[in-house]
Amino acid sequence: MNKTKPGHSVESSTSDCSHVSVPSYKKQFGSPRSLLQSGQHHLKKQVLGKSVLHCVRKPNFKPVRVPARIHTFDTFRSVNYRFLWLSTVIFSGAFWLQQVLIGWLAYDITGSPFLTSLIMGLDALPILLGAPLGGLICDRFDKRRLLAIVYTYQAILMVTFSIFIMVGLGATWNLFGFVFLMGIAWTIHDPARMALITTIVPREKLINAFALNAMAFSIMRLSVPAAGGLFLGLIGAWPIFLVEALLMVGAGLTIQLIKTPKGTLPSTDSKDKSQIRSSLKNVPLELLSGIGFILRQPVIIGFMCLTLLMVILIVPFINGLMPVYAAEIFEVGPKGLGLLFSSAGLGSLLSTIILASWKRITRPGIVTFSLLAFLTVLMTAMSINHRYEVALIIVMAISGAMMAYFSIASATVQSILPDNLRGKVTGIYMMTSGLIPIGALTAGIIANEFSAPVATRLGAILAVCLLSISFFIFRGVWNYRPETSTDLRALKQGEYLDETLSPQEPNKERAVPKAIGAVGGDS
């Protein structure tokens, strides 16, 4: 048996026995020194990580926390909400067909960017004048029946206008009249739909509900305008108006499948009917109660002003001039206009998916201010772009930001409102959308005198200036946190029975949100 010579080093003496197991040392090495050298060699290999397998420790990995589920479709657990969502899909399909048809017919008949922009925004004018009354009606009558009546009324208008187009009587005055009469329906439709969502969905899921509702709108915006532009070039306008009418009837029938919770429907007995008639006679007092509530809520005032900025300086300077961009700047015709609307639908769809997956937004004010700032950048990019392919991407981003803003702002405002004032306050809040014609008129005048890109660029500059001023005036909106709002907690506990105070407690001190200071300062 070989023995290690005294003059050998540790490495050389142990290299020949690197594969010898520990129990065989005594047989192979006779002297204590050899055993010591072999032990040092194996210890060195253990330290370097080259020892036998039993010396290797099992790695200690920390478990990765995975969310239990995705919250994108939480509100779809409600059967009632699924019916409401389906009716939104059907209704929005008809709406986007109309946008393509009216936009192209307006420019084709008038040949004027000014008149085209004015026609595209005219349907919002009745909202400015009649939204508070529409909200009051929503508080007094069954919202499902109101929506069914609205859809039937619009279907009749579409059939009538299709006959005018079919017999060759389409003219500028026809377009103005049709769009204005369609806008009358929005005075009831928008408050009723928003109030119906809050009736069947808990407050903590309103962001998700409004985002999914906007998603339905966006899905149809993605697919319908492109198809509408294609069929507009193939079969003309009047058959498409008939398709719109059928879709409206389908939306009205679907909305009737919703079962609203007990206690939310107005009573139908004669005594309550007389009370309803009596309350309708006191419309000014009813509206004043809604105005009084808003004046005590600086967050609602702030969101109304921000929405006013959106509907005057952003929406009409982009959406209202879209037919002009398609015809004059990019020269793509009705098919290209349809693709522009569809790219906007894709942006809205992606935005609403992200928003619906966001379980909770703790700082809605910061998000909405950021979205408005982002929109001004996109408007500037649109005004200096001359490539149609790039415009599709810009329009997609603009639409996504718009949809996110309106969803967050509407859900935040609705979460603050008491149920008995929801319709009245929503109607007053919706008056901001009625000012779109003012923005459309301004955008049309500038585009007619100069060009659509110049109008969009000026709109972006004015929006930046007013947004900067709003940041300092409405710091309460920027700092707003729903979980710290004492007003919201009081609403959940049912403390607000009339306006902001219970009539049984007229001297009770009003709760003021801790995170909201007076308009123009911090708390």
Side-chain angles (χ1 to χ4, degrees):
M1 185 178 295
N2 295 332
K3 296 181 179 181
T4 307
K5 295 181 181 180
H8 281 193
S9 64
V10 175
E11 290 79 8
S12 61
S13 62
T14 58
S15 61
D16 296 333
C17 56
S18 59
H19 300 286
V20 180
S21 62
V22 177
S24 63
Y25 286 160
K26 290 184 179 180
K27 295 181 181 179
Q28 186 172 355
F29 303 105
S31 64
R33 183 175 181 180
S34 300
L35 290 174
L36 180 61
Q37 290 175 347
S38 299
Q40 291 175 346
H41 171 72
H42 280 272
L43 180 61
K44 182 188 294 185
K45 293 179 72 175
Q46 287 181 0
V47 172
L48 295 176
K50 299 179 182 179
S51 60
V52 292
L53 291 177
H54 71 272
C55 295
V56 180
R57 293 185 178 180
K58 185 179 180 179
N60 184 20
F61 294 113
K62 294 182 178 180
V64 179
R65 298 187 64 181
V66 180
R69 59 185 178 85
I70 299 175
H71 299 277
T72 307
F73 304 104
D74 275 4
T75 319
F76 275 151
R77 293 182 173 185
S78 169
V79 176
N80 286 328
Y81 185 80
R82 291 201 292 268
F83 285 130
L84 179 62
W85 190 87
L86 181 59
S87 71
T88 304
V89 170
I90 300 172
F91 148 74
S92 59
F95 175 82
W96 287 115
L97 276 177
Q98 179 185 315
Q99 289 297 104
V100 175
L101 289 175
I102 294 300
W104 188 254
L105 285 175
Y107 190 77
D108 186 55
I109 293 174
T110 66
S112 168
F114 168 70
L115 291 178
T116 299
S117 178
L118 190 60
I119 290 172
M120 292 293 289
L122 185 62
D123 61 344
L125 183 60
I127 298 178
L128 175 63
L129 304 175
L133 179 60
L136 180 61
I137 293 174
C138 293
D139 279 340
R140 300 302 181 187
F141 297 97
D142 185 354
K143 301 171 183 61
R144 300 171 304 170
R145 294 182 181 178
L146 288 175
L147 289 172
I149 293 172
V150 165
Y151 294 143
T152 304
Y153 163 78
Q154 291 185 324
I156 294 173
L157 286 178
M158 290 172 182
V159 172
T160 304
F161 191 66
S162 69
I163 296 175
F164 275 86
I165 299 297
M166 181 179 61
V167 299
L169 296 178
T172 303
W173 71 270
N174 286 340
L175 284 172
F176 274 96
F178 173 74
V179 172
F180 182 81
L181 291 175
M182 289 289 289
I184 293 177
W186 304 137
T187 61
I188 296 177
H189 176 274
D190 291 348
R193 178 168 285 276
M194 293 177 68
L196 187 58
I197 291 176
T198 56
T199 300
I200 62 178
V201 175
R203 292 182 187 273
E204 62 271 13
K205 293 184 178 180
L206 283 181
I207 290 284
N208 184 261
F210 275 90
L212 290 177
N213 188 70
M215 182 190 297
F217 209 66
S218 303
I219 290 174
M220 302 311 289
R221 191 179 185 182
L222 173 62
S223 56
V224 170
L230 177 62
F231 285 106
L232 179 60
L234 293 177
I235 63 177
W238 71 267
I240 303 178
F241 277 109
L242 295 179
V243 175
E244 287 185 55
L246 292 176
L247 291 174
M248 285 296 186
V249 172
L253 294 175
T254 305
I255 209 77
Q256 300 306 304
L257 299 176
I258 297 175
K259 297 179 180 179
T260 51
K262 294 181 179 180
T264 60
L265 291 178
S267 180
T268 56
D269 59 37
S270 58
K271 182 178 179 180
D272 289 329
K273 284 183 178 180
S274 63
Q275 290 178 354
I276 291 174
R277 287 193 296 267
S278 176
S279 63
L280 289 177
K281 294 179 182 179
N282 298 322
V283 169
L285 295 178
E286 294 283 342
L287 295 180
L288 285 176
S289 66
I291 295 173
F293 178 83
I294 292 175
L295 292 177
R296 290 187 288 270
Q297 298 292 334
V299 173
I300 297 180
I301 295 175
F303 274 112
M304 288 183 67
C305 292
L306 292 179
T307 303
L308 196 64
L309 186 153
M310 170 75 85
V311 301
I312 292 180
L313 294 177
I314 297 179
V315 173
F317 282 79
I318 292 293
N319 293 350
L321 296 176
M322 199 77 74
V324 183
Y325 273 100
E328 293 186 357
I329 306 301
F330 305 121
E331 299 179 352
V332 291
K335 296 180 182 179
L337 176 62
L339 285 177
L340 280 173
F341 278 114
S342 293
S343 67
L346 177 60
S348 299
L349 178 61
L350 296 176
S351 173
T352 52
I353 290 175
I354 295 173
L355 188 59
S357 303
W358 205 341
K359 183 179 180 182
R360 194 176 186 184
I361 296 180
T362 58
R363 301 295 296 272
I366 294 178
V367 177
T368 50
F369 268 103
S370 302
L371 287 171
L372 289 171
F374 181 53
L375 279 168
T376 60
V377 175
L378 293 174
M379 290 176 66
T380 305
M382 184 70 177
S383 67
I384 62 177
N385 171 62
H386 296 282
R387 296 186 59 184
Y388 178 69
E389 297 79 7
V390 177
L392 292 174
I393 299 175
I394 296 175
V395 169
M396 181 177 66
I398 288 175
S399 178
M402 285 183 180
M403 189 63 71
Y405 171 84
F406 283 120
S407 298
I408 296 173
S410 299
T412 304
V413 170
Q414 289 295 317
S415 68
I416 300 174
L417 302 182
D419 290 334
N420 66 310
L421 290 175
R422 190 174 304 281
K424 290 187 284 289
V425 177
T426 300
I428 297 171
Y429 177 79
M430 294 300 299
M431 288 178 65
T432 56
S433 300
L435 294 174
I436 288 180
I438 295 178
L441 181 64
T442 306
I445 292 174
I446 299 174
N448 198 55
E449 292 294 328
F450 300 98
S451 65
V454 171
T456 303
R457 195 176 307 128
L458 288 177
I461 294 173
L462 290 174
V464 168
C465 296
L466 292 180
L467 185 62
S468 302
I469 296 173
S470 300
F471 174 76
F472 293 101
I473 295 178
F474 302 111
R475 293 301 297 273
V477 176
W478 178 272
N479 296 323
Y480 178 67
R481 291 177 181 268
E483 67 273 11
T484 62
S485 172
T486 55
D487 273 338
L488 185 56
R489 288 198 297 269
L491 288 172
K492 290 180 179 179
Q493 296 169 2
E495 293 182 11
Y496 298 129
L497 300 178
D498 186 19
E499 297 183 359
T500 55
L501 296 177
S502 168
Q504 287 80 14
E505 299 174 327
N507 298 322
K508 182 178 178 180
E509 183 179 358
R510 293 186 180 94
V512 179
K514 295 180 181 178
I516 306 171
V519 177
D522 297 330
S523 57

